[in-house]
Amino acid sequence: MDVSPTRVDNAPMALLERETQLGSLLQYAVEAGRREGRLVLVSGEAGVGKSSLVEALQAELPDATWLWGACDGLFTPRPLAPVHDLARQIGGGLGDLVREHAPRDRIFDEMLRVLSDADHLTVLVIEDVQWADEATLDLLRLLGRRLRHVPVLLVVTFRDDALAPSDPLRLALGELAGQRATRRIDVPPLSARGVRRLANGSAFAPDDLHRLTGGNPFFVVEVLRGGDGAIPASARDAVLARVAAVSELARRTLEVAALAGSHVDPQLMADVAGAELETLDELVSAGLLIPDGAELRFRHELSRWAVESGLPPHRRGHIHRSLLEALSGTTCDDEARLAYHAEGADDAGSVARHAPQAARHAASLGAHREAAAQYERALRFPPEEPRELAELYDGFADSLAMVDRWPQAADARQSAIELWRSLGDSRREGHDHRKLASVMWRLCRGPESVAAHVRAIELLEPLGADPELARAMSAHAFTIWRTDPGTAAQMLERAREIANEVGDPALRSDVLNNLAAGQYARREVWAQAMQEALALALEAGAPAQAGRAYANGYTFYTAQYRFAEGERFWRDGVAYCDERDITTYSTCLRGHRAIALLDLGRWDEAAALAERVLATEASPVNLLTSQITLGLVRARRGLPGALELLDPAVTEADGVDEAEWIANTRLARAEVLWLQGDDAAAAIADLARIRSMISPLEYVEDARLSVWEQRLLGAARPCSPAPEPWATWLAGDHAAAAARWEALGCGHHAAMALLDSDCDDHLREALSRFEALGADASVRRTRAKMRELGLRAVPAGARASTRQHPVGLTRREDEVLALLCDGLTNEEIAQRLVVSARTVDHHVSAVLAKLGVGTRGAAVAQAHQLGLTPATA
């Protein structure tokens, strides 16, 4: 690929305007050589010069060991495609494992071993990660955490000009960016001056050329290489003009290469296109292909795309058919590649042979998106045999469920059920009804979920011990605890008996998980059962069960405000799920993390995380926590858009038809309505709806509801004794309740407890706490209550000095910002200002909110940028 060249013929080209990026890479290489491994994310639009930058680095580091791998955007690739490239270069144990289709954990371990054993600098380059499968992204996450003491510079290039908000790479980048070993380099387009240097001596006006190409080096060079004095409409035309200048055989060869993949195998070109070495040399001389080890490749992916886009359908199908025949006659074991060409050739039989195998292999490596794509490909050529078709639908639904694509999973599961029913296979029909129950719950269709569980039990119970019967019983038991605890207990015990009889650790994990949920609901000790469920799943290598245990464990810990105990479930759980592409549970974890951050007063982090979740493709039930979080942050800060988030959340929660979700969404909406002060009747109606659903099993929600009933109706109606600190709050000891909430780290709860008091000192303390949190709407509510009580000298709002401050900081907040700029910790600031560390925490949070940043470092940078000095206020 040509990047920022100083000439446009086939001579070597030097980089333009890339000195800073190359210098950074060289510095990171020095650090990696000291066994301070670095993962460098090199981003830029297509054609901007990422590969040429890395090639320039290679010229500067000739003594390093260089390893190259690439992701292929031509088709749904085989999982871990770059590892196959690396295995060919490294050989040894890694090569053996890849050839044997070993489990990915063994492949990952061998990769780490090879890199760790290096005695000098190794540069590992993985290109075009925008096309990476989930297993490759998981490998990058793993390497990002393990490189700190390894002499490796891992350079990852990717295009960032077309990433959707929910793109798996965007989520992976967020995780990688937080690793200590990670660095980021952006490669921008050329400036007008750079384009002027390239266009010097050509027939093109430099300014017109820069405007046309946007400074993209590839487009610039393609236009200049056209050489006819006219600016083509696009680089595609420039590429095709160059293609037209080569011989007919070379053109046919290039067309075959465009559909064959990123790497061009000379032998394959000879077999399919009849290309001799002279033909390939012609394409190299024309600058359309470039050498890449023993193979060739397109000089740029845009070149390949331009050639492919010019192929008429009949030529495309013929080439795919020829490639499929040629590859089938070799030792090619890339089922994904064969399936791609089979579909392109409209060869249903070959699709049936290769796509399901590619799907199963992808799923075994944790690349569930790729597995779903391969199942979808197979289903575009449905087999006539009903059992085979049902198996495909089941595999498709299983893969979709792992990546949080539930509407499609529902359709696939119901198609499978109809087929199993037509075949008279009650066991498989029962299995799918059990799984359909989970799908319907994720889609917030609670009654249909319950009905599916009931139907699964009806079908499976006459057939004896069955894993899916145990799962159905243990899940259904939890849904009927409130109405029929005796039957629920019998079902759960029967599920445990089946799990022990079957001896499946994954099943035992699922049953123990549901047992822990029942213990949590009955206020019993639940953590031991959940930890055992997690340990069983991890030991058995059961990722879905482990992800579920992490998610439920963290949910229960944070619901009981046991944040420190839950931290391991969050930290280890999100890493585990991200590494294995278990999006359903990683999204669940992030949603409940946002709720925890909200409770802990870390509102900027909570809002950012909630926005990230809401930007992804996720099940409706997995979005509820983030809708609640972001809605409350906006409402408490007096920002618009809270009800636009919470009204849909309430509708979805009603669909779940479970008291917990109805309570959480409607309590949030009631708070928003109360803060806005204009619809008390609607808020009270929400409380009444919750009260009609609540039972002693939802004791936390019952306590929260009771506080709001006391606030809006003057009297609470709890159906069970409230846990602490809610009990103290409801008893009217507001100061003690606030102190207990403060000890838990829940500053907003503490402020709300004080707000419910009629004591002047308590209300003034609540006002101070709300101001520190940046809760402007709560501040207004507090002032209104103080005026209603006839208290004297009610603070009217920000002082004049605060209003005059460039970003609205109070005098104390400005002092805190100045000390942050001096590099002091919160504890050191507390000592300097003679206040508590907790008070400083509140002030720091307020400073971050007013500056619109999420970290202390960003606050300092923003302060310098705005010219805020210690004497600003």
Side-chain angles (χ1 to χ4, degrees), residues 130-217:
Q130 71 275 0
W131 293 314
D133 62 281
E134 290 295 335
T136 298
L137 294 180
D138 293 343
L139 174 62
L140 292 179
R141 291 185 179 100
L142 178 68
L143 293 177
R145 287 196 294 274
R146 304 290 180 84
L147 285 180
R148 287 182 56 195
H149 304 298
V150 178
V152 171
L153 178 67
L154 172 55
V155 180
V156 175
T157 72
F158 64 96
R159 288 164 47 178
D160 60 357
D161 52 341
L163 292 181
S166 60
D167 192 290
L169 176 59
R170 191 176 293 280
L171 302 181
L173 291 174
E175 299 300 320
L176 292 171
Q179 301 299 327
R180 293 183 60 181
T182 300
R183 301 294 184 268
R184 181 77 179 259
I185 292 178
D186 293 320
V187 184
L190 295 175
S191 67
R193 181 180 179 184
V195 173
R196 191 173 298 114
R197 288 181 60 186
L198 289 178
N200 186 34
S202 74
F204 297 94
D207 290 343
D208 290 342
L209 184 59
H210 183 264
R211 184 169 54 254
L212 174 72
T213 63
N216 182 290

Side-chain angles (χ1 to χ4, degrees), residues 608-657:
L609 188 55
E611 288 173 342
R612 174 179 173 182
V613 169
L614 293 173
T616 63
E617 180 183 22
S619 61
V621 79
N622 255 356
L623 297 178
L624 292 177
T625 46
S626 294
Q627 290 169 308
I628 291 169
T629 298
L630 192 56
L632 286 176
V633 170
R634 288 181 179 177
R636 291 170 183 175
R637 286 179 167 171
L639 302 174
L643 289 179
E644 286 77 0
L645 286 162
L646 289 171
D647 285 343
V650 167
T651 299
E652 296 289 4
D654 284 350
V656 179
D657 198 35

Side-chain angles (χ1 to χ4, degrees), residues 578-616:
D578 282 344
E579 287 178 5
R580 289 158 180 81
D581 188 25
I582 314 174
T583 312
T584 291
Y585 294 120
S586 63
T587 302
C588 178
L589 279 161
R590 286 187 169 90
H592 285 280
R593 178 66 168 184
I595 290 284
L597 293 172
L598 178 73
D599 286 339
L600 289 168
R602 295 159 60 180
W603 290 0
D604 291 318
E605 296 173 69
L609 188 55
E611 288 173 342
R612 174 179 173 182
V613 169
L614 293 173
T616 63

